[in-house]
Amino acid sequence: MSNKDQIQRFMFENLGARGQLVGLNDSFREATANHEYPATIQQLLGEFMTAATLLSTTIKFKGSLTLQAQGDGDLSLIMAECRHDQDVRGIARWEGEGEPENTGFQALLGNGRMAVTITPDKGQRYQGIVALEGDSLAACIENYFEQSEQLQTRVWLTTEPGFCASGLLIQVLPQEQGAVEDADGWSRICQLSDTLSNKELTTLSNDDILHRLYHEEMVRVFPASDVQFKCTCSAYRTLEAIVSMGKDEIQEIFTEQPQITVRCEFCNAGYEVTQADIDQHLSDTDEASSSQTLH
Ligand SMILES: [Zn+2]
C-alpha cells in the first residue's frame, strides 16, 4: 500500500456495494514507538488501528469512533480511536513478560467483549457491543455490522509489526441490499477479495490492488484522504480529569506531594499539575459558565 498513511474509498457502480482501503505507516510506527509491545500484541494493535480508521468513515459529524476490547486473557485491554478527520491513536495493556504464550485473537483476550463507541464532540454517545466470537478482529467487525446494521460486510486486516498495518473493507450499501440486479455480484467481489494476500495488501499501491482484484468490475475511486497519528490529550483535559476526582481526593494527594504528574498513555506527553493550576482552572470554568448565562 505504498508508504503513505491514507484511506481510499471506492464504489462498485452496478453492485450496490462500497469499499475502503487503509494503509498506516508513520501513524502506526508513531503510535507504537513509546511502548515495548510484544510483536503479537503490536500486530493486533495495528489491526485495531486499521479497523478504527475503516469504521471512522461512518461518522457523519465531528467526533470520534473507538474500538475497544476487554477480556480476561493476557491482553486485558486493547483499543484504537479514530476521529472524523482520521486522526488515529491506539493502546494495549497486557500482563506478563515477553511474547504471550497463546497468540490467537481469542486466546489473547479470553472471555470478553468488544465495544464500538461513537462519540460526537457535541451530543449523545452511541455504543454497540459485540461478543468476541470468531478468531479474528476482522470476524468480530463483520459480526458487528451484521448484528447492529444488518449490513453484509467483509474485512481483511494485516500488520507487519514495527512497520505498517493495512486493511480492506467491502460492504453492501444499506438501501441496495437484495435490490441489485446482479445477484451474484456480492459473492463475486468477496471471492475476488479473498484472493488478495497479506503481502499484496501491505506492499501494493491502492491502484494496483483495485486493478489486481476488480479489473472486470465497474469501480469508481474517490480521492484518498490522509490519516495521521494524533493524540487528543491536553493540559485542559488533564485538569478536567483531575477535577472530576472530587475535592477530597485531590486535597489528599496534595498533602502528600506538591504536584500531580500525569503521563498520557497514548503519546507519552507529561503534564504536571499543581494546586494553583486546579484553582485557576476552576475559576476559569466558573467564569466561562457565568458569562454564558449572562449573554
Ligand atoms: Zn496524548
Side-chain angles (χ1 to χ4, degrees):
M1 169 114 17
S2 72
N3 49 7
K4 289 184 187 143
D5 290 62
Q6 280 187 333
I7 183 159
Q8 176 91 61
R9 298 169 181 81
F10 55 93
M11 188 87 89
F12 297 95
E13 295 275 35
N14 303 320
L15 302 180
R18 65 181 193 100
Q20 291 171 188
L21 278 162
V22 162
L24 305 178
N25 292 277
D26 287 347
S27 54
F28 174 58
R29 290 193 289 268
E30 284 176 54
T32 48
N34 293 318
H35 306 267
E36 284 172 13
Y37 293 123
T40 321
I41 288 175
Q42 205 187 112
Q43 194 157 352
L44 191 55
L45 185 58
E47 293 189 11
F48 266 76
M49 288 178 62
T50 305
T53 308
L54 287 167
L55 266 59
S56 71
T57 59
T58 57
I59 313 180
K60 302 282 183 273
F61 41 75
K62 286 187 177 175
S64 64
L65 181 140
T66 310
L67 203 57
Q68 176 168 329
Q70 273 170 296
D72 58 8
D74 285 347
L75 184 59
S76 54
L77 174 120
I78 186 161
M79 70 95 91
E81 182 185 82
C82 190
R83 286 186 55 76
H84 62 279
D85 48 7
Q86 277 75 51
D87 289 345
V88 67
R89 61 180 194 164
I91 197 170
R93 289 194 201 120
W94 77 102
E95 306 276 340
E97 310 256 321
E99 286 294 326
E101 268 174 43
N102 303 310
T103 53
F105 177 70
Q106 283 198 323
L108 274 173
L109 279 155
N111 290 313
R113 52 181 209 161
M114 188 174 82
V116 181
T117 311
I118 296 169
T119 312
D121 290 346
K122 289 177 185 149
Q124 279 286 324
R125 82 168 37 182
Y126 161 83
Q127 190 167 62
I129 304 282
V130 219
L132 294 175
E133 283 166 3
D135 203 19
S136 69
L137 175 60
C140 274
I141 307 263
E142 290 168 1
N143 285 339
Y144 167 76
F145 278 112
E146 191 76 53
Q147 287 167 18
S148 69
E149 327 238 341
Q150 281 84 50
L151 288 180
Q152 286 179 293
T153 307
R154 292 291 313 278
V155 178
W156 293 263
L157 301 167
T158 184
T159 309
E160 292 262 332
F163 184 59
C164 65
S166 325
L168 165 67
L169 174 149
I170 56 172
Q171 185 170 64
V172 173
L173 292 168
Q175 66 278 21
E176 310 267 352
Q177 201 144 240
V180 181
E181 281 174 33
D182 185 349
D184 299 328
W186 173 248
S187 65
R188 189 171 66 243
I189 56 173
C190 288
Q191 279 172 19
L192 289 169
S193 309
D194 265 330
T195 66
L196 185 70
S197 70
N198 284 343
K199 189 171 167 75
E200 287 173 310
L201 181 54
T202 307
T203 53
L204 294 183
S205 70
N206 291 341
D207 284 351
D208 287 347
I209 292 175
L210 294 177
H211 180 76
R212 146 91 176 76
L213 294 178
Y214 315 123
H215 61 274
E216 286 183 5
E217 307 293 332
M218 292 272 284
V219 176
R220 178 152 49 116
V221 181
F222 300 99
S225 4
D226 290 337
V227 181
Q228 50 283 317
F229 170 73
K230 199 167 174 191
C231 197
T232 48
C233 71
S234 65
Y236 181 87
R237 287 186 171 209
T238 307
L239 282 162
E240 289 277 278
I242 294 176
V243 166
S244 74
M245 288 166 23
K247 258 188 183 151
D248 295 345
E249 192 150 336
I250 297 172
Q251 200 137 40
E252 209 176 299
I253 297 173
F254 282 123
T255 53
E256 287 161 15
Q257 57 196 68
Q259 60 189 25
I260 303 175
T261 306
V262 178
R263 192 154 294 282
C264 174
E265 275 190 277
F266 290 92
C267 71
N268 214 29
Y271 299 94
E272 297 198 332
V273 176
T274 61
Q275 180 71 62
D277 295 329
I278 304 262
D279 295 343
Q280 182 66 47
H281 180 73
L282 288 173
S283 87
D284 285 353
T285 42
D286 269 0
E287 222 164 84
S289 59
S290 59
S291 65
Q292 259 170 19
T293 20
L294 284 174
H295 300 290

